[in-house]
Amino acid sequence: MACLLEAPLRISVLSEVTATSRHYVDRLFDPDPQKVLQGVIDMKNAVIGNNKQKANLIVLGAVPRLLYLLQQGSSSSELRAECAVVLGSLAMGTENNIKSLVDCHIIPALLQGLLCSDLIFIEACLRCLRTVFISPVTPVQLLYTDPTVIPHLMSLLSRSQRTQEYITQIFSHCCKTPEHQTVLFNHGAIQNIAPLLISPSYKVRMQALKCFSVLAYENTQVSMTLVNVLVDEELLSQVFVRMMQRDQPIDMQLTAAKCLTYMCRAGAIRTDDSCIVLKTLPCLVRMCSKERLLEERVEGAETLAYLMEPDVELQRIASVTDHLVAMLADYFKYPSSVSAITDIKRLDHDLKHAHELRQAAFKLYASLGSNDEDIRKKITETENMMDRIVSGLSESSVKVRLAAVRCLHSLSRSVQQLRTSFHDHAVWKPLMKLLQNAPDEVLVMASSTLCNLLLEFSPSKEPILESGVIELLCSLTQSDSPALRVNGIWALMNMAFQADQKVKGEIVRALGTEQLFRLLSDPDSNVLMKTLGLLRNLLSTRPHIDQVMSSHGKQIMQAVTLILEGEHSIEVKEQTLCILANIADGNTAKELIMTNDDILQKIKYYMAHSNVKLQLAATFCISNLIWNEEDGEANAMTGSQERQDKLRELGFVDILHKLTQASDPNLCDRAKTAMQQYLA
């Protein structure tokens, strides 16, 4: 019986909904234009604040009819304007409403409406477009499809304060990529919007300011232009400074600080400029205080982190401004237990922003501690800081995990912290867990941090080794991401430094010779450099050198030859020659060089190179080959004599003699030391 009743019940509810809304839609089809106008006005009043009614009217097909009336030349200006107002009201409902409107091609219809001369209609179209475009579900590219739209919008800026407010708001929401910035810049956005910063309307000033913040973000061309713009005979940067004054609304202070931050990061304003040091930085620190709303504290912290990220002096100034390091600890105290008991609405708000607050705090700590040892110490000594970072590594929010691992990476640059806080809190355990399954951006930062934890002086190195990390790192070297390949090989390089033969053997086995030589021909120079570094660390101490070269000597010599012949940087070739110098230090391995005339000629070529670093590395190779103190054994002494004789025949002694007169003191000393072997 229940099954029989269900369908009629659903139909009766739907028919009730339809009955209450249908008459609004029916009136749009009345042959009398006056009745249609009144129907649209009544519909406008019915949908205000009523999401259910909005959804019903969309389902019943009101949108296509409203768009038809809006586009009809025979419709009165008043009717067209009222249609735009109703459509704008429908757009203020749910995201599904916006999707339905966009699917009905509302955007081209409204943009077409902007060609009309009637200002009230233009403003209604712009207001509706603004509402549609600020929704996250609207594809912003729709603003740029027709190349005539942006210049026409620029021309409408002078029509009224409302057109100025709506158009600048549309621009600031639809400027998402460098291409969008370029389109707006090329159509005169700066000269058209700059005068609006001194508009009598706060809304216009605010939207113009937001426009400049999105235009300047990571854009050198825009930022360099902005720095020379005059508004009413005052430099734009000074207008922004005035907008950051304490008596201005917080939203304005924060957005003006963003504009100056982005101009600074784009290289248009120096980091030691007074408008940055004395105005922007203190303003952003103020935004982090308890007095500010949670949203403002998030934005303030993230902008401040971005401002000082590359500049150690700004980091030092910020760290002693208004007890910032301690102030940030408060970001981790939401939602508070008090709000949980007394105010459900407050709890909901706190919960919503808790993730964002923690993410912002971690980002700012990461930026603060990226260079200065004293600041790092101050951060780790802040209440429960290391525990908070460890907790952050396993949070449900990917953004918080990423920010926490960024913070950890920043602190891991400190030898002292690696030896103390990192060891005390066994940070490597959650880090290893994070590496098992994470998005690439988290993996890049986590593997970077692991590289530091695997440095020789880090107490975490041993337990990490025992946890079976080698396989994981070898798998990273096969990633499509160059950053992950670099980090995988870098970590292996750190692991191999002064390691015992067992660890080195495990690395070679897990990586495999095929992959090792694939990495030696990697198109990314950073990957190549770190692979050479790994090889250099594997080929240290004579027994290790001889063992590795006895099993992989042929391939290694081939790779070395290819690199020395190829179009590589000085740094790559220097590292390769250093590997040859290590091979030359082996007891048996050095014969692989002595029996390879091609390699010997290459060493000779680099000894006479114009670059001192390459000369030094090549001379070091020869110095190791002619060294004659090998355990004092007779056959060893005979071996060194034979090598010296062969190298003399090939002209190496003449080159060494010339290098003893070199202007570089290190090169001169190295050549003299080598020459002494011939005299010994």
Side-chain angles (χ1 to χ4, degrees):
M1 289 295 287
C3 290
L4 290 172
L5 283 169
E6 266 184 16
L9 270 173
R10 279 208 300 272
I11 289 166
S12 67
V13 170
L14 183 61
S15 60
E16 191 185 313
V17 166
T18 309
T20 57
S21 307
R22 170 65 68 189
H23 72 285
Y24 288 116
V25 179
D26 289 344
R27 289 167 70 190
L28 300 180
F29 292 88
D30 198 290
D32 183 347
Q34 258 329 100
K35 286 182 180 176
V36 172
L37 174 62
Q38 193 54 51
V40 173
I41 292 169
D42 290 347
M43 186 184 282
K44 174 181 74 176
N45 295 331
V47 297
I48 292 171
N50 189 336
N51 277 351
K52 189 178 176 183
Q53 186 71 279
K54 289 175 187 178
N56 292 342
L57 290 170
I58 290 170
V59 168
L60 292 169
V63 176
R65 183 63 182 169
L66 287 166
L67 286 172
Y68 173 80
L69 295 169
L70 180 138
Q71 292 175 92
Q72 280 304 296
S74 57
S75 297
S76 67
S77 293
E78 190 182 358
L79 174 58
R80 296 171 81 189
E82 289 293 351
C83 286
V85 171
V86 175
L87 288 164
S89 191
L90 294 176
M92 285 180 180
T94 64
E95 287 186 352
N96 281 336
N97 290 11
I98 296 275
K99 284 177 186 171
S100 301
L101 292 170
V102 172
D103 290 345
C104 289
H105 307 291
I106 188 174
I107 291 172
L110 291 168
L111 290 172
Q112 189 66 30
L114 298 179
L115 298 171
C116 175
S117 58
D118 184 82
L119 182 59
I120 292 171
F121 177 52
I122 288 172
E123 287 176 352
C125 287
L126 284 171
R127 187 162 53 246
C128 184
L129 279 166
R130 181 270 314 266
T131 307
V132 172
F133 274 121
I134 62 175
S135 166
V137 299
T138 305
V140 297
Q141 200 53 40
L142 292 170
L143 186 69
Y144 303 94
T145 311
D146 180 346
T148 64
V149 168
I150 300 296
H152 186 61
L153 287 170
M154 293 291 178
S155 73
L156 292 175
L157 279 168
S158 58
R159 293 293 299 271
S160 72
Q161 283 184 6
R162 284 198 181 102
T163 64
Q164 290 166 355
E165 179 194 339
Y166 303 148
I167 291 169
T168 47
Q169 197 170 0
I170 289 166
F171 286 162
S172 62
H173 276 277
C174 293
C175 185
K176 304 285 188 192
T177 67
E179 291 73 29
H180 296 160
Q181 290 173 324
T182 302
V183 170
L184 293 171
F185 177 81
N186 288 344
H187 284 105
I190 292 175
Q191 52 269 47
N192 281 302
I193 297 170
L196 307 186
L197 290 169
I198 52 170
S199 164
S201 160
Y202 172 74
K203 285 181 177 178
V204 171
R205 292 199 304 277
M206 199 56 235
Q207 293 306 331
L209 191 58
K210 284 182 176 174
C211 234
F212 281 127
S213 78
V214 295
L215 282 168
Y217 181 66
E218 292 189 346
N219 193 308
T220 303
Q221 183 188 32
V222 171
S223 296
M224 289 295 191
T225 307
L226 287 178
V227 89
N228 296 312
V229 169
L230 289 172
V231 181
D232 201 20
E233 297 183 9
E234 186 180 23
L235 277 172
L236 195 61
S237 56
Q238 289 309 305
V239 175
F240 292 152
V241 166
R242 271 196 296 104
M243 289 175 151
M244 286 192 298
Q245 287 172 356
R246 289 169 187 260
D247 60 348
Q248 296 297 332
I250 295 299
D251 198 20
M252 181 168 275
Q253 289 184 47
L254 195 43
T255 312
K258 275 182 164 184
C259 290
L260 289 164
T261 293
Y262 299 157
M263 288 165 71
C264 178
R265 282 299 306 266
I269 302 175
R270 288 166 55 102
T271 53
D272 59 359
D273 191 297
S274 62
C275 77
I276 297 297
V277 178
L278 302 178
K279 301 293 182 183
T280 310
L281 188 144
C283 172
L284 290 170
V285 172
R286 280 202 308 275
M287 296 302 145
C288 298
S289 71
K290 274 184 181 180
E291 287 69 47
R292 301 274 52 88
L293 296 174
L294 300 188
E295 302 89 308
E296 293 160 358
R297 296 174 78 183
V298 167
E299 216 171 327
E302 294 204 335
T303 309
L304 180 55
Y306 182 68
L307 171 66
M308 63 188 180
E309 194 175 22
D311 192 90
V312 65
E313 201 44 50
L314 287 179
Q315 290 157 15
R316 286 180 184 140
I317 294 165
S319 72
V320 294
T321 304
D322 292 352
H323 309 288
L324 178 65
V325 174
M327 194 196 294
L328 285 176
D330 190 64
Y331 278 46
F332 296 94
K333 294 174 183 174
Y334 293 89
S336 62
S337 52
V338 177
S339 66
I341 299 161
T342 58
D343 186 350
I344 294 298
K345 211 171 191 179
R346 166 81 186 278
L347 173 65
D348 188 49
H349 177 262
D350 286 6
L351 276 169
K352 188 179 165 192
H353 291 287
H355 285 313
E356 292 174 5
L357 282 162
R358 288 197 291 279
Q359 180 191 340
F362 283 138
K363 274 187 186 174
L364 188 41
Y365 276 137
S367 195
L368 275 167
S370 56
N371 291 291
D372 189 281
E373 192 61 42
D374 291 337
I375 300 174
R376 290 185 194 125
K377 188 169 184 288
K378 201 189 274 189
I379 291 169
T380 53
E381 288 173 356
T382 303
E383 53 175 316
N384 307 323
M385 193 59 216
M386 292 307 291
D387 291 332
R388 283 171 176 154
I389 296 173
V390 168
S391 300
L393 296 176
S394 55
E395 282 223 17
S396 57
S397 162
V398 174
K399 287 181 176 178
V400 177
R401 289 206 302 275
L402 178 59
V405 79
R406 245 193 206 136
C407 184
L408 195 64
H409 178 249
S410 184
L411 298 174
S412 73
R413 291 176 176 152
S414 158
V415 176
Q416 187 190 3
Q417 298 310 323
L418 284 174
R419 284 178 171 159
T420 54
S421 307
F422 277 58
H423 184 55
D424 297 342
H425 291 82
V427 164
W428 66 271
K429 288 181 182 175
L431 191 66
M432 287 293 292
K433 193 177 173 188
L434 193 62
L435 281 161
Q436 306 301 325
N437 181 27
D440 270 10
E441 56 181 347
V442 176
L443 269 181
V444 168
M445 202 49 68
S447 52
S448 261
T449 310
L450 191 66
C451 288
N452 292 343
L453 266 68
L454 285 166
L455 288 165
E456 171 224 1
F457 47 74
S458 164
S460 305
K461 183 173 182 176
E462 282 308 311
I464 293 172
L465 272 173
E466 288 162 15
S467 73
V469 72
I470 294 175
E471 295 288 344
L472 173 71
L473 295 174
C474 291
S475 70
L476 290 182
T477 69
Q478 296 175 18
S479 169
D480 291 335
S481 156
L484 285 176
R485 291 202 303 280
V486 167
N487 288 348
I489 205 75
W490 195 341
L492 289 169
M493 180 187 89
N494 287 352
M495 193 183 290
F497 182 72
Q498 294 185 353
D500 57 36
Q501 188 55 38
K502 179 175 172 282
V503 171
K504 289 183 179 179
E506 278 180 39
I507 292 171
V508 174
R509 263 194 309 280
L511 191 59
T513 47
E514 222 176 284
Q515 177 61 6
L516 180 63
F517 297 113
R518 197 178 292 124
L519 291 165
L520 284 170
S521 56
D522 197 283
D524 188 286
S525 62
N526 289 325
V527 175
L528 177 54
M529 273 298 280
K530 294 299 174 241
T531 309
L532 290 168
L534 169 63
L535 203 48
R536 193 173 166 184
N537 286 349
L538 291 171
L539 294 166
S540 62
T541 77
R542 283 176 187 159
H544 297 175
I545 294 167
D546 292 335
Q547 192 169 341
V548 172
M549 292 307 288
S550 67
S551 51
H552 305 292
K554 190 182 172 188
Q555 298 102 310
I556 288 173
M557 295 305 283
Q558 277 177 350
V560 163
T561 305
L562 284 170
I563 292 168
L564 290 177
E565 285 176 352
E567 294 291 320
H568 292 289
S569 66
I570 296 294
E571 289 73 25
V572 165
K573 293 198 172 183
E574 181 193 14
Q575 187 82 298
T576 308
L577 288 166
C578 288
I579 287 169
L580 270 182
N582 282 15
I583 295 168
D585 194 39
N587 288 328
T588 56
K590 54 167 51 89
E591 286 310 311
L592 286 161
I593 298 176
M594 289 306 301
T595 55
N596 188 328
D597 286 349
D598 186 26
I599 283 286
L600 286 171
Q601 288 303 323
K602 284 180 171 51
I603 295 171
K604 193 174 174 183
Y605 167 78
Y606 284 109
M607 283 176 77
H609 199 276
S610 58
N611 185 281
V612 174
K613 286 181 178 179
L614 297 183
Q615 285 182 291
L616 257 171
T619 306
F620 198 31
C621 289
I622 293 304
S623 189
N624 281 350
L625 286 173
I626 61 179
W627 204 257
N628 58 19
E629 292 176 23
E630 298 172 53
D631 307 327
E633 294 174 17
N635 63 343
M637 295 296 283
T638 309
S640 65
Q641 188 60 53
E642 285 172 5
R643 289 193 302 279
Q644 287 179 10
D645 291 345
K646 180 174 180 177
L647 293 170
R648 187 193 296 275
E649 284 168 29
L650 290 170
F652 279 93
V653 174
D654 295 339
I655 298 173
L656 283 172
H657 189 69
K658 277 183 192 168
L659 292 179
T660 58
Q661 310 299 316
S663 57
D664 183 85
N666 292 328
L667 182 57
C668 176
D669 289 349
R670 173 56 59 195
K672 283 176 182 174
T673 305
M675 284 297 287
Q676 282 165 9
Q677 294 302 304
Y678 277 97
L679 303 171

